[in-house]
Amino acid sequence: MRQSFELAQKVDVAGIPFACMSLDEAAIAVLDSAASSESNGISVRLSNAYCVALANSDHAYGEVMRDPIGVNLPDGVPVAYVMRSRGRFDKPTSLLVRGPSLFARALELSQECDVAHFLFGTNESTLEALRARIEQLYPGARIAGSYAPGIVSLNEEFFRGVEQRIADSGAQLVWVALGTPKQDFVSSELARRLGLCFVGVGAAFDFLAGTVQEAPTVFHGSGFEWVYRLSREPRRLWRRYLFGNIEFVRAVLSVRRRNRKTN
């Protein structure tokens, strides 16, 4: 059954539109977008509370999150809870689309539709481990190419070089693991240039490759997965979770107050 991001119901979360889809619906929509000859390019953003908070404090990132070439999917329970409060859905976890889960599910389903994947981000050792893991778990998934750019500036030279690599590979679907917000800026720009489907998946490469320990399944959809990740990488993540969650609540309440005044 085909799925379309354009036809999915949209729910506003603090001024950012999110598509309402299950994990399977999102995976199928990603593969359909990648395989479609009529696609003008799409950037799929797996966005959590930190992303929403950042979009409300950083004008440039807010423009990316509202860019019509892309679609936002809720990769975080707080976002899913707000979505549920704005619509008629069974439970928040039915709306949750975790980046690592979407990556794995799309790889699995792509074994039946021969979509060519490109792995873009992280580092060469992780990409090597990731390709070996994909070959082991999803032997029918076709990996057209991979590239780890390292620490670079997002200038024209960078975009032209990456654009050429992806075009030469013949890939239809590009997975981007550069971290937030960089991966979303990159995905939107390259989706326009190449007319392909780009999906920003953050730490999904590291999790599947086994270079970073993923939270146990019991944490998935519980609203406490961030606690596990924070315990594993406190120096890198403490600011994101502490200030990001506070700013997310502020942004949601601020938009609600504005809407009440105008209604």
Side-chain angles (χ1 to χ4, degrees), residues 118-183:
F118 192 97
L119 310 173
F120 176 37
T122 189
N123 55 65
E124 290 296 346
S125 61
T126 297
L127 286 179
E128 183 178 352
L130 177 60
R131 294 188 69 146
R133 188 67 171 156
I134 290 173
E135 185 175 350
Q136 176 188 7
L137 295 177
Y138 313 108
R142 183 156 60 97
I143 307 301
S146 61
Y147 176 52
I151 300 174
V152 294
S153 299
L154 303 186
N155 53 31
E156 183 60 24
E157 181 181 4
F158 164 78
F159 282 114
R160 284 185 179 177
V162 176
E163 182 180 359
Q164 192 63 53
R165 281 177 178 269
I166 295 173
D168 289 346
S169 75
Q172 299 158 284
L173 174 55
V174 184
W175 300 95
V176 187
L178 297 175
T180 301
K182 180 182 283 189
Q183 66 189 17

Side-chain angles (χ1 to χ4, degrees), residues 86-149:
R86 302 291 302 276
R88 297 178 180 177
F89 310 110
D90 293 336
K91 54 184 178 179
T93 51
S94 67
L95 300 170
L96 190 64
V97 182
R98 297 177 64 256
S101 300
L102 178 65
F103 182 43
R105 185 63 172 144
L107 285 168
E108 179 184 1
L109 293 175
S110 73
Q111 296 178 108
E112 305 299 327
C113 61
D114 195 34
V115 166
H117 304 261
F118 192 97
L119 310 173
F120 176 37
T122 189
N123 55 65
E124 290 296 346
S125 61
T126 297
L127 286 179
E128 183 178 352
L130 177 60
R131 294 188 69 146
R133 188 67 171 156
I134 290 173
E135 185 175 350
Q136 176 188 7
L137 295 177
Y138 313 108
R142 183 156 60 97
I143 307 301
S146 61
Y147 176 52

Side-chain angles (χ1 to χ4, degrees), residues 181-231:
K182 180 182 283 189
Q183 66 189 17
D184 298 323
F185 284 104
V186 169
S187 294
S188 288
E189 178 65 23
L190 290 175
R192 275 197 176 82
R193 293 181 181 225
L194 288 164
L196 300 176
C197 181
F198 284 74
V199 189
V201 289
F205 286 11
D206 295 293
F207 292 157
L208 189 57
T211 55
V212 173
Q213 182 69 45
E214 186 174 7
T217 306
V218 68
F219 284 93
H220 300 176
S222 68
F224 294 100
E225 186 172 353
W226 67 273
V227 176
Y228 180 87
R229 290 200 63 193
L230 180 61
S231 71

Side-chain angles (χ1 to χ4, degrees), residues 11-18 46-58 61-62 65-66 72-76 78-80 82-83 180 184 244-245 247-252 255:
V11 174
D12 183 278
V13 177
I16 305 299
F18 280 83
L46 283 300
S47 307
N48 55 23
Y50 171 73
C51 299
V52 174
L54 186 60
N56 275 269
S57 62
D58 184 313
Y61 188 56
M65 289 283 281
R66 299 179 184 92
N72 303 306
L73 297 171
D75 185 6
V79 176
V82 174
M83 292 173 67
T180 301
D184 298 323
N245 288 340
E247 289 304 316
F248 171 74
V249 173
R250 286 180 179 174
V252 169
V255 170

